Amino acid sequence: MFETSIIIQLLNKALQFAKNNAFCINGEYFSYSEFIQRIAVISESLQNNKENNIGLIANDDIDTYASIFAIWVTGKVYIPLSPETPEERNQNIIKQVGIKTILDSNKTQKLQSHDFFTSMSLLNTRIQTVDFNNQLAYIFFTSGSTGNPKGVTISKNNIASFVEAFWAMGYSINEADRCLQMFELTFDLSVMSYLIPLLKGACVYTIPKGKIKYSYIFELLDEQELTVALMVPSILNYLRPYFSEIDCPRLRYSLFCGEALHENIIDEWSKCVPNAQIDNVYGPTEDTIFCTRYTYNRDEKNDSHNGILSIGRSMLNNHAIVFNDINEPAGYSQIGELCLAGEQLTPGYFNNSALNKEMFFTVKHKGIETRFYRTGDLCLMRENGNIDYIGRKDSQVKIQGFRIELSEIEYHTKKAINEQFPLISIVLKNKSGNNEIAVVFESSEFELNGINEYLNSKIPPYMVPTKYYFLQQFPLNTNGKIDRKKIIEKFKI
């Protein structure tokens, strides 16, 4: 399934549109012919490598994208490592997986490419020697509550199932499309953003490192007349002051994922993209990119809860069920935990049997024993089958689309102050309407010398708090627990 729907499909499109642009990276274009040539020569360098798990430094260049496919066609697994992430965190991942081979386009001498037809022949020959069934495609590491990142394994069959479900929703993408890829390669939404366009011969436009993301997206939408864009909703908060200047009649599909999508800002955005189908898609890393969809209705009332647009219903071969506390489906309009099952569901966390036992359970669904994943998202199902997002069951939140555990931030911040004082981390809305992390100490005010430097050496930049506050005593609720709501209200911007 992976071989035919992804690898062979890519090769066929590359042959059909060899001279078309496959990528635009920092203003430089790369054709499908060039892309295939880079895949072939990199795969050739890997074919005798006995290591299965290959680390990949997530640079923004043609060789990094080619390396993903080279890793796949040689039957291996890629584990993206961000060059912006603290070295200690990357070393943690490398140690967990036992990575011995790391591809870094910035440090490795560029291999000399074969010509296009030789490259095509090499790749067609190579894939005949690989059994793609049940192989892993990648391992993405997400925030862990103990300060230890956890690895989510995704199989090649999972990705093939996502691709099948994506096309089943009726998206019509072709070689004339210009598609946004705004995500770091350590974020699973990147997979859809590069993979889907390449399977149709379209061009992928990336965001260069060091650029202001929302500003560069504005430029691409305006100057390159993008036709397909998957973004995190927080980008709209940054673009909002410029909505009056944004006119994108060529944008055909405008998708959002990674955070709650508020109806009021979509009402405004819809005027900027008058001809676009606007979709709110949802899914954790554990269910391969996304697994539900809701299409915004320009002319009728939309399903929403507290101003948050519905996440819709399951895609093909997926199940999204709201369960109550005893693992039974909740009734319509009853709040429960959203649980996911189906062909996109991860085989499990890498080398973490305890977490697998905690996060997955098996019950009968439509008479069949079915394995479900607990998302931790509180939702309710409407009678029409659409699902409304309510909020988080635990302390996991989204910052800039990245899923993080507040407890991980608390863990490292306590280490930074030698655990002298109690503290909690909270999420506040900034003036742009985006989430920011703050830490509140139960203490008199003290100097925070070196705390940010310490945190920057332990966690990615998007997890480092932007604000620090002090309280002599934390308020408690009736259960004797720290009342986070009161603290958030006190420091709300």
Side-chain angles (χ1 to χ4, degrees), residues 130 182 189 196 242 273 289 296 308 331 347 394 402 414 427:
V130 177
M182 65 158 282
L189 292 180
I196 290 298
Y242 311 102
V273 291
I289 310 172
Y296 172 79
I308 297 174
D394 52 26
F402 290 94
K414 286 177 182 175
V427 174

Side-chain angles (χ1 to χ4, degrees), residues 254-356:
S254 179
L255 285 74
F256 294 92
C257 190
E259 297 168 320
L261 182 61
H262 292 267
E263 190 175 7
N264 60 349
I265 200 166
I266 284 299
D267 288 340
E268 296 177 38
W269 174 247
S270 66
K271 297 177 178 62
C272 301
V273 291
N275 301 315
Q277 175 179 313
I278 300 174
D279 287 345
N280 187 27
V281 294
Y282 163 91
T285 304
E286 287 83 352
D287 212 35
T288 312
I289 310 172
F290 54 80
C291 57
T292 76
R293 176 186 69 162
Y294 180 84
T295 298
Y296 172 79
N297 210 316
R298 293 174 180 271
D299 304 315
E300 299 176 17
K301 180 176 173 57
N302 285 280
D303 289 348
S304 63
H305 184 89
N306 291 336
I308 297 174
L309 204 64
S310 171
I311 60 173
R313 60 187 68 198
S314 298
M315 291 159 51
L316 179 70
N317 299 323
N318 285 277
H319 307 293
I321 309 293
V322 179
F323 279 93
N324 59 24
D325 291 338
I326 55 173
N327 289 345
E328 293 177 346
Y332 291 124
S333 300
Q334 291 183 354
I335 295 175
E337 182 176 11
L338 185 63
C339 299
L340 307 173
E343 294 184 9
Q344 291 178 208
L345 189 60
T346 171
Y349 295 104
F350 184 81
N351 283 353
N352 200 330
S353 57
L355 190 59
N356 286 331

Side-chain angles (χ1 to χ4, degrees), residues 3-35:
E3 179 183 352
T4 55
S5 64
I6 294 174
I7 301 301
I8 292 177
Q9 175 74 0
L10 172 65
L11 295 179
N12 287 341
K13 289 301 175 182
L15 187 61
Q16 185 178 1
F17 303 113
K19 294 182 180 180
N20 284 21
N21 293 322
F23 284 91
C24 178
I25 301 175
N26 202 12
E28 184 177 0
Y29 287 92
F30 299 89
S31 69
Y32 273 86
S33 174
E34 292 172 291
F35 186 49

